[in-house]
């Protein structure tokens, strides 16, 4: 059974565990599952264009963090919305093209693992239980002061929607035959001059029930928000990291189902840590809207203060400035094309 207890219990049960941290985590592109299934040309073209960008990122990291920065690379597989696809038909192809293009992928992650972290077993013994991660993080979503407190709009944990401002309705109802109200424009929180208002759908109609419980279908921006929190080492469950990368044995075939893979697989045995002080995502331009939505969600996510303090303090010890606001630890490179 998936564990949905909030990770706020971590600090009540003792000190939270630290996770190893690189200076920089680089996401090396992204594809929809259909692009991974259909041929190699698009994969090869994207990886070829990304390879020199990564070299530039590493040089920039040397300037910011010193001559030997800890840099790791990661690649997220879009398996949440297409779980029926076959890993054995995809992974060797993708990793082979990456090597051909001179691209090193240290860690391979599954998007479905951002929704539910599968149990980790060794020799048939469960080491860590399955964790309903998306449910846990949703308990941490908070709203700015909004009119839902007066009954107009439910909080995001009920509605599945989250916005970066307030949508007001002003005026008083008219006579019985003319009940219209005057609508006022939406206003962005903390706007600078003019508002850029965004309403983000975090979850929608439920998937088929599991064990008698409805299962929401999480949106791509919401899962991408959890992906960023994992890369920044910000999530714990009962004080322990929710995900620990599992080493990959190249002599063992890939499983036939995505669900049989860990959330994060360490491909490179010599890789620097998966999580990092900063994350940099190299993505096609079509992900601009999603990344905007990610920032809105993260701005409304209340993170465990002890985890935040732990990462900030470690940064100070290493001479790395770590902003308390997690969105200030994100950066992106959106390249031209589809």
């Amino acid at each position: 059974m998936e564990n949905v207890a909030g990770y706020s219990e971590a600090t009540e049960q003792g000190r939270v565990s630290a996770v190893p941290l690189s200076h920089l985590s680089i996401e090396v592109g992204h594809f929809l599952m259909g692009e991974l299934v259909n041929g190699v040309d698009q994969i090869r073209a994207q990886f070829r264009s990304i390879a020199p960008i990564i070299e530039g990122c590493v040089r920039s990291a040397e300037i910011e963090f010193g001559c030997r920065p800890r840099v790791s690379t990661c690649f997220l597989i879009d398996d949440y919305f297409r779980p029926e696809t076959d890993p054995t038909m995809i992974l060797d192809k993708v990793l082979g093209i990456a090597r051909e293009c001179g691209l090193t992928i240290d860690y391979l992650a599954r998007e479905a693992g951002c929704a539910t972290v599968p149990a980790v077993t060794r020799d048939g013994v469960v080491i860590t239980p399955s964790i309903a991660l998306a449910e846990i993080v949703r308990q941490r979503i908070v709203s700015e002061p909004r009119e839902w407190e007066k009954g107009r709009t439910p909080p995001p944990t009920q509605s599945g929607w989250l916005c970066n401002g307030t949508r007001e309705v002003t005026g008083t109802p008219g006579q019985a035959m003319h009940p219209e109200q005057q609508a006022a424009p939406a206003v962005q929180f903390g706007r600078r001059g003019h508002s850029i208002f965004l309403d983000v759908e975090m979850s929608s109609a439920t998937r088929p029930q599991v064990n008698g419980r409805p299962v929401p279908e999480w949106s791509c921006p919401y899962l991408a928000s959890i992906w960023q929190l994992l890369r920044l080492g910000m999530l714990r469950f009962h004080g322990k990291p929710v995900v620990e990368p599992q080493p990959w044995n190249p002599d063992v075939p890939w499983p036939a189902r995505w669900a049989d893979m860990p959330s994060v697989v360490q491909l490179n045995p010599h890789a620097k840590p998966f999580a990092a002080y900063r994350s940099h995502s190299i993505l096609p331009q079509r992900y601009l809207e999603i990344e905007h939505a990610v920032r809105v969600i993260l701005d409304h996510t209340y993170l465990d203060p002890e985890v935040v303090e732990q990462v900030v303090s470690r940064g100070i010890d290493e001479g790395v400035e770590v902003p308390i606001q997690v969105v200030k630890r994100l950066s992106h490179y959106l390249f031209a094309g589809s």
Side-chain angles (χ1 to χ4, degrees), residues 133-141 156-157 160 202-203 216 218 222:
L133 186 56
E135 288 282 3
I136 290 173
V137 174
R138 183 165 68 167
Q139 296 171 14
R140 288 287 185 163
I141 303 294
T157 52
M202 297 187 297
S203 62
W218 306 108
Y222 182 62

Side-chain angles (χ1 to χ4, degrees), residues 23-332:
H23 290 102
L24 181 65
S25 163
I26 304 176
E27 183 175 4
V28 294
H30 190 70
F31 298 92
L32 298 176
M33 185 61 80
E35 297 167 334
L36 296 177
V37 171
N38 298 324
V40 299
D41 291 344
Q42 190 169 3
I43 300 173
R44 183 175 289 111
Q46 186 174 132
F47 281 167
R48 280 178 176 169
S49 67
I50 284 175
I53 298 173
I54 294 175
E55 294 177 4
C57 292
V58 173
R59 287 196 294 270
S60 295
E62 291 173 348
I63 296 172
E64 182 175 2
F65 302 113
C67 61
R68 299 184 65 182
R70 300 186 302 273
V71 179
S72 64
T73 60
C74 58
F75 184 79
L76 183 67
I77 290 285
D78 180 26
D79 70 321
Y80 179 74
F81 296 100
R82 294 283 302 276
E84 79 287 352
T85 51
D86 186 351
T88 63
M89 302 294 293
I90 294 172
L91 293 179
D92 286 335
K93 174 175 65 175
V94 171
L95 297 176
I97 296 173
R99 288 191 297 270
E100 172 191 321
C101 297
L103 195 63
T104 299
I105 298 177
D106 294 325
Y107 297 95
L108 179 73
R110 298 191 301 112
E111 189 174 35
C114 297
T116 302
V117 179
V120 177
T121 60
R122 290 176 190 160
D123 300 324
V125 178
V126 176
I127 305 300
T128 58
S130 174
I131 302 172
L133 186 56
E135 288 282 3
I136 290 173
V137 174
R138 183 165 68 167
Q139 296 171 14
R140 288 287 185 163
I141 303 294
V142 298
S143 296
E144 297 278 349
R146 289 180 57 189
E147 288 301 314
W148 61 261
E149 295 175 347
K150 299 180 181 178
R152 294 187 182 179
T153 307
T157 52
Q158 294 180 19
S159 68
W161 287 82
L162 181 70
C163 68
N164 66 342
T166 181
R167 185 187 292 107
E168 296 286 356
V169 176
T170 61
T172 57
Q175 299 177 353
M177 298 299 293
H178 300 283
E180 296 87 357
Q181 291 181 322
Q182 179 182 358
V187 178
Q188 177 188 4
F189 296 133
R191 65 189 183 280
R192 297 180 180 178
H194 296 81
S195 290
I196 302 175
F197 185 83
L198 182 68
D199 221 350
V200 182
E201 187 175 24
M202 297 187 297
S203 62
S204 59
T206 58
R207 290 186 168 195
Q209 291 194 356
V210 175
N211 297 327
R213 292 192 304 125
V215 179
E217 180 166 271
W218 306 108
S219 71
C220 182
Y222 182 62
L223 295 176
S225 303
I226 297 174
W227 168 234
Q228 290 286 1
L229 292 174
L230 290 173
R231 292 172 64 196
L232 295 173
M234 299 307 298
L235 298 179
R236 304 288 188 277
F237 184 75
H238 294 315
K240 298 184 180 298
V242 296
V243 166
E244 296 187 76
Q246 302 299 304
W248 173 55
N249 184 349
D251 297 326
V252 176
W254 295 108
R257 302 190 315 153
W258 295 109
D260 295 329
M261 289 180 57
S263 291
V264 181
V265 178
Q266 182 173 343
L267 302 175
N268 178 7
H270 307 293
K272 300 303 181 183
F274 166 69
Y277 289 120
R278 310 273 176 83
S279 73
H280 186 67
S281 301
I282 305 173
L283 303 169
Q285 287 180 347
R286 66 173 181 263
Y287 290 97
L288 174 61
E289 293 176 330
I290 291 176
E291 295 307 312
H292 183 190
V294 166
R295 298 181 73 88
V296 170
I297 294 170
L298 293 181
D299 268 337
H300 288 72
T301 304
Y302 178 75
L303 298 171
D304 190 321
E306 189 169 349
V307 177
V308 175
E309 175 59 28
Q310 182 188 82
V311 176
V312 171
S313 296
R314 288 174 62 187
I316 293 173
D317 292 341
E318 289 200 76
V320 177
E321 182 181 354
V322 181
I324 293 178
Q325 291 180 274
V326 73
V327 293
K328 292 184 178 180
R329 296 169 57 192
L330 277 59
S331 62
H332 301 82

